[in-house]
Amino acid sequence: ELFGVPRHGGRLPFFPTQPGWISGVYQTGVRSLVDDITDTHSDKTRESWGQGVANIASGFFGGMGGCAMIGQTMINVRESGARTRLSTLLAGVFLLVLVLALGDIVGMIPMAALVAIMIMVSVGTIDWHSVHPRTLKLMPVSETIVMAVTIIATLATSNLAIGVVLGAVSYTHLT
């Protein structure tokens, strides 16, 4: 038993708030990355409140909550040069048109092509300079440990959410 919740088969049942916490951490990471790329500062508290209210509202309409998408954000910011919130709105409207009006055509795109695009976006997202041994020597040891914990946990479990949570937990214990 943990916090009054009984264990089932040795595992804790799924907490309904878990996706909210994970998406909040993920959203903050995406926002920080965009801030670094664009040399701007965002109000992460405001972003989190907006995301939370929107996720709650979507539930009333039968929708699923969500958070920022690193792939769409990187394409929008790095590849397209977007710098304002209008770019995010236009990307969402474009996606809505693709799904509603062109769904049958989009369904004909081979999954391998979509995977290749996502791999290229992922490779382009990595700041390769940050993992260079010379850079790692200059960074605080605590930050290097958090990065290593996040990467190792994600690869070991094949679950990004677990990697992000363990990275966040290690960050809170090391700082």
Side-chain angles (χ1 to χ4, degrees):
E1 186 172 309
L2 180 65
F3 303 116
V5 178
R7 291 180 180 266
H8 297 284
R11 299 178 64 188
L12 286 172
F14 183 78
F15 284 106
T17 60
Q18 186 182 20
W21 287 104
I22 292 170
S23 66
V25 171
Y26 186 71
Q27 169 74 21
T28 303
V30 171
R31 190 70 245 164
S32 296
L33 182 62
V34 171
D35 287 352
D36 289 345
I37 292 171
T38 59
D39 290 326
T40 58
H41 174 72
S42 63
D43 184 352
K44 290 167 189 61
T45 302
R46 183 176 172 202
E47 297 273 346
S48 297
W49 270 100
Q51 175 184 326
V53 169
N55 284 344
I56 290 169
S58 73
F60 287 111
F61 297 99
M64 288 178 47
C67 63
M69 297 184 305
I70 190 72
Q72 182 263 324
T73 302
M74 286 298 101
I75 290 172
N76 209 10
V77 173
R78 277 203 176 153
E79 306 304 322
S80 302
R83 294 294 181 259
T84 67
R85 294 182 192 277
L86 179 61
S87 63
T88 304
L89 174 69
L90 291 175
V93 168
F94 181 71
L95 184 60
L96 184 65
V97 169
L98 280 176
V99 170
L100 295 179
L102 304 172
D104 293 336
I105 295 170
V106 171
M108 294 176 7
I109 298 173
M111 187 60 70
L114 298 175
V115 169
I117 291 169
M118 240 2 263
I119 288 172
M120 293 308 297
V121 169
S122 299
V123 169
T125 301
I126 297 171
D127 180 7
W128 294 102
H129 175 71
S130 68
V131 293
H132 194 277
R134 276 184 291 199
T135 305
L136 291 175
K137 287 180 186 176
L138 298 174
M139 296 200 45
V141 174
S142 61
E143 289 187 21
T144 305
I145 291 171
V146 170
M147 181 175 63
V149 166
T150 304
I151 292 170
I152 291 168
T154 301
L155 294 176
T157 63
S158 298
N159 189 329
L160 178 62
I162 291 172
V164 169
V165 168
L166 290 177
V169 168
S170 66
Y171 176 79
T172 59
H173 288 294
L174 292 172
T175 56

